[in-house]
């Protein structure tokens, strides 16, 4: 029952399990396995097999579910959908408009594709940061459209708030705490602000037209 020997930690059950840690220790000390990423991938599935034998559900590893590589791509389905979104953004930019938000969207889906193809600390941070930048860019464009009749000072103040929020979260992602759940919550919060912006715009149009 090796899979039951899991120490208490904030990390995922899978990567902290006894069988996974034993595999990693042996793997990294073996000359034939000199690639840490390949070692972790092999040990992940060895640990999953041990969990299956103990009748336990498949655990997460480093906060993520294990996925089988295809042609070296770590998350094939996610990478494919990210690539399709990238093409959609590119088509929209070339066909309809040249707004900044669509350019930022292309960058976001590019890094999403890279991250789901090859997961490293760098590509993960670039994916999260680019996605947040896309959300903030949409908020900025929406805010400027709502304030298009206002003075330049009001627009500058509003833009400063948006920019400060982006820089603050970007700093946290890159240099301090880096958490998937926290990042999702902040993106959802910005999304709610955008939704309220849209609702207020619709109400204004209805009652002022």
């Amino acid at each position: 029952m090796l899979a039951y020997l899991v120490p208490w930690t904030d990390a995922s059950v899978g990567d902290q399990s006894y069988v996974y840690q034993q595999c990693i220790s042996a793997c990294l000390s073996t000359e034939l396995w000199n690639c840490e990423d390949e070692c972790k991938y092999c040990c992940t599935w060895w640990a999953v097999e041990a969990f299956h034998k103990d009748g336990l559900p498949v655990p997460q590893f480093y906060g993520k579910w294990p996925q089988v590589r295809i042609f070296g791509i770590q998350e094939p389905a996610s990478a494919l959908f990210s690539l399709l979104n990238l093409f959609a953004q590119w088509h929209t930019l070339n066909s309809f408009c040249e707004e900044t938000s669509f350019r930022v969207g292309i960058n976001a889906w590019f890094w999403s594709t890279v991250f789901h193809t090859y997961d490293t600390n760098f590509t993960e941070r670039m994916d999260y940061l680019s996605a947040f930048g896309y959300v903030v860019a949409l908020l900025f464009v929406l805010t400027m459209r709502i304030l298009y009749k206002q003075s330049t000072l009001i627009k500058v103040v509003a833009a400063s708030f948006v920019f400060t929020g982006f820089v603050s979260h970007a700093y946290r992602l890159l240099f301090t705490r880096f958490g998937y759940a926290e990042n999702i919550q902040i993106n959802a919060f910005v999304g709610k602000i955008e939704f309220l912006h849209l609702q207020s715009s619709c109400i204004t149009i209805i009652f002022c037209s």
Side-chain angles (χ1 to χ4, degrees), residues 71-197:
F71 301 115
I73 300 176
Q74 288 184 261
E75 300 177 7
S78 297
L80 175 61
F81 290 129
S82 295
L83 188 61
L84 292 175
N85 277 304
L86 171 61
F87 287 146
Q89 289 282 315
W90 183 269
H91 174 73
T92 302
L93 179 64
N94 289 333
S95 302
F96 301 104
C97 62
E98 295 185 357
E99 285 193 358
T100 302
S101 59
F102 283 96
R103 297 181 185 277
V104 177
I106 290 175
N107 176 71
W109 289 115
F110 168 78
W111 281 111
S112 177
T113 303
V114 173
F115 165 63
H116 290 300
T117 300
Y118 186 53
D119 182 356
T120 66
N121 287 333
F122 175 74
T123 59
E124 184 175 36
R125 279 164 171 74
M126 290 304 298
D127 175 41
Y128 288 8
L129 184 60
S130 299
F132 182 65
Y134 186 25
V135 174
V136 171
L138 293 174
L139 176 62
F140 171 77
V141 171
L142 182 58
T143 302
M144 291 300 102
R145 285 184 174 178
I146 292 175
L147 300 177
Y148 76 99
K149 290 184 178 180
Q150 302 298 323
S151 65
T152 302
L153 177 61
I154 293 178
K155 293 178 182 178
V156 170
V157 171
S160 299
F161 273 108
V162 174
F163 180 73
T164 301
F166 171 76
V167 172
S168 175
H169 185 55
Y171 179 82
R172 289 169 65 84
L173 283 177
L174 296 175
F175 302 109
T176 58
R177 297 177 57 189
F178 180 74
Y180 175 79
E182 179 184 359
N183 184 63
I184 292 297
Q185 291 173 357
I186 293 178
N187 276 274
F189 175 74
V190 176
K192 290 178 181 178
I193 295 177
E194 293 174 0
F195 176 76
L196 292 176
H197 267 327

Side-chain angles (χ1 to χ4, degrees), residues 24 27 33-44 69 118:
I24 286 292
C27 172
W33 286 8
N34 55 6
C35 177
E36 183 177 356
D37 292 333
E38 186 66 22
C39 177
K40 288 181 178 180
Y41 179 77
C42 294
C43 289
T44 293
R69 292 178 184 170
Y118 186 53

